[in-house]
Amino acid sequence: MKEFSKEVYLKWYQDMTMWRRFEDKCRSLYLKQKIRGFLHLYNGQEAIPAGFVHAMDMTKDSMITAYRCHIHPMAMGVDPRRIMAELCGKATGTSGGMGGSMHIFSKEHRFYGGHGIVGGQIPLGAGIAFADKYFDRKAVNICFFGDGAARQGSLHETFNMAMNWKLPVVFVVENNQYAMGTSVKRTANHEDIYKLGLGYEMPCMPVDAMDPEKVAEVAYEAIERARRGDGPTFIEARTYRYRGHSMSDAEPYRTKEEVEEYKQEDPILIVKKRILDNKWATEEELEKMDDESRNFVEECVEFMENSPFPDAEKIYDYVYAQEDYPFLDKLENN
C-alpha cells in the first residue's frame, strides 16, 4: 500500500478544494442558464475518487460511473477546462459539446462515462473488465454507481457473471443516503447495501467514505485482489451529498439540521485537520491553495466562454457509422 505522506495529503487537499469550487461554480452557471438540462453536483463525496486514484495504477486501470460524473474524470487526469466546456455545450468539451453534464468521457484517460441510465454502467464495467482479462492487460476497472442503482436487476446479473468469470472489477456503491429523494431506509428491509454481495460469495465491505485514507485502504485491497485474478469486490462507500439530487431538487425529504450535521464530517475538513495536526502546512499556506483552486476554476470558465459552440452539421457525425446512410440523403433531398 502506498503511504499516506505529507505530499499525498496536500494533493488531496488541493484536489478536493478545487473539485468543490468547480461544482459550486457549475451551480452558479446553471442559475445563469450557461449550463442547461440536468446538473447533479458532487459536494460532500470528494473523498471517494481521491482515495481510489491513490490506490489505482493510473497507467492502465479504468473507471466508469453514473451521471454525477464531473469529479471522477478530473481525478483520472481529464482537463477540468474541457469538462467545463462540455457542461456548457462547447465544441472543446470532452464529448464535443454534445454530451453535457451526464456524459463526460475520455478514452485517453480510461474514463468511460458518465451514464444517464440508472445502473446502466454496472454491466458495462464488467464488460470493460472482461476485455482487460481477455487481453491480459493486468488492469482493473472501478465501477461506481449510486444507492438507487443498487436496486436494479442488472446488478444481480452482473455480480453473478463477474464472480463466475473472476473479472478484474471493483464495484463501488456511493451510498449518499438518498436515491433521488428516497431514503435508503425505505428501499429494502436492511440498510447494509454491501451485503448484496454475500449472495454471490463476493468479498464485500462498507467503508467510511468521508475519509480518503480509509477509502484508499479498502480500495487498494480490492484492486490488488482483482489484479491477482481473484475476482471482484463490492464496496459500500458510505457518504453524503450536501446538495440536492439535481438542481431541480427542493429537498423536502430531509431537514437542514441533518445536512448541517453531516457537514461536520466534511471530507475536506478531515484532510485539513490532519494536515494542520501534523504541521505539514500552515493555515496561510492552505489559504493560498484555496486561492489557487478558485483562480483555476475561473480559468476553466474563461476557457469555456472563449470556446465556440459545435457546428450545426456535426449533429449527425456521432449517430451514423455508415457515412452514406439513406436517411441523410432523404433529408438533403427535402
Side-chain angles (χ1 to χ4, degrees), residues 182-209:
T182 305
S183 168
V184 169
K185 296 177 182 179
R186 296 177 58 198
T187 62
N189 68 341
H190 68 86
E191 296 177 45
D192 297 320
I193 298 177
Y194 74 94
K195 291 181 180 178
L196 292 175
L198 295 176
Y200 304 93
E201 298 186 356
M202 184 186 297
C204 51
M205 72 284 295
V207 63
D208 174 6

Side-chain angles (χ1 to χ4, degrees), residues 11-240:
K11 184 177 188 324
W12 277 346
Y13 185 78
Q14 186 144 47
D15 285 347
M16 291 164 69
T17 54
M18 192 278 284
W19 297 342
R20 180 73 59 85
R21 291 191 182 281
F22 186 97
E23 294 290 72
D24 286 343
K25 178 59 69 172
C26 287
R27 182 176 185 274
S28 173
L29 292 171
Y30 188 92
L31 294 174
K32 294 175 182 176
Q33 297 189 340
K34 295 279 187 178
I35 298 175
R36 302 297 185 95
F38 291 103
L39 183 70
H40 304 84
L41 303 177
Y42 201 68
N43 301 46
Q45 300 180 215
E46 296 90 350
I48 299 173
F52 262 90
V53 297
H54 180 71
M56 293 167 67
D57 183 336
M58 299 300 286
T59 67
K60 57 187 176 183
D61 292 343
S62 62
M63 189 180 289
I64 191 168
T65 188
Y67 44 73
R68 201 178 303 277
C69 64
H70 313 152
I71 303 308
H72 298 80
M74 291 187 209
M76 292 292 286
V78 180
D79 187 343
R81 290 168 292 196
R82 295 194 63 211
I83 295 172
M84 183 66 79
E86 185 61 40
L87 288 166
C88 295
K90 296 300 185 76
T92 53
T94 56
S95 298
M98 287 176 270
S101 171
M102 295 195 285
H103 301 99
I104 310 299
F105 186 90
S106 176
K107 181 180 178 181
E108 175 189 357
H109 294 91
R110 298 171 307 286
F111 179 77
Y112 298 113
H115 291 269
I117 303 300
V118 176
Q121 76 278 17
I122 300 174
L124 296 179
I128 295 167
F130 177 83
D132 286 336
K133 182 171 183 175
Y134 185 86
F135 292 107
D136 195 27
R137 295 172 180 149
K138 299 294 186 289
V140 177
N141 176 259
I142 314 300
C143 179
F144 290 104
F145 50 94
D147 46 274
R151 307 309 181 189
Q152 293 282 10
S154 61
L155 175 139
H156 296 278
E157 296 164 348
T158 302
F159 276 19
N160 183 59
M161 188 176 290
M163 282 300 292
N164 267 345
W165 294 346
K166 295 294 183 287
L167 299 182
V169 56
V170 179
F171 297 107
V172 186
V173 55
E174 297 188 74
N175 179 5
N176 60 25
Q177 315 301 320
Y178 295 97
M180 294 185 70
T182 305
S183 168
V184 169
K185 296 177 182 179
R186 296 177 58 198
T187 62
N189 68 341
H190 68 86
E191 296 177 45
D192 297 320
I193 298 177
Y194 74 94
K195 291 181 180 178
L196 292 175
L198 295 176
Y200 304 93
E201 298 186 356
M202 184 186 297
C204 51
M205 72 284 295
V207 63
D208 174 6
M210 305 303 272
D211 186 334
E213 186 170 318
K214 292 178 181 177
V215 172
E217 286 172 347
V218 297
Y220 180 80
E221 291 181 12
I223 290 168
E224 289 309 299
R225 181 182 298 116
R227 210 181 307 281
R228 287 194 306 267
D230 294 339
T233 301
F234 181 36
I235 296 170
E236 179 186 347
R238 293 176 171 173
T239 184
Y240 196 83

Side-chain angles (χ1 to χ4, degrees), residues 22 80-81 84 296-305:
F22 186 97
R81 290 168 292 196
M84 183 66 79
F296 181 69
V297 170
E298 291 302 325
E299 185 181 321
C300 293
V301 175
E302 183 179 357
F303 175 83
M304 175 275 293
E305 294 283 14

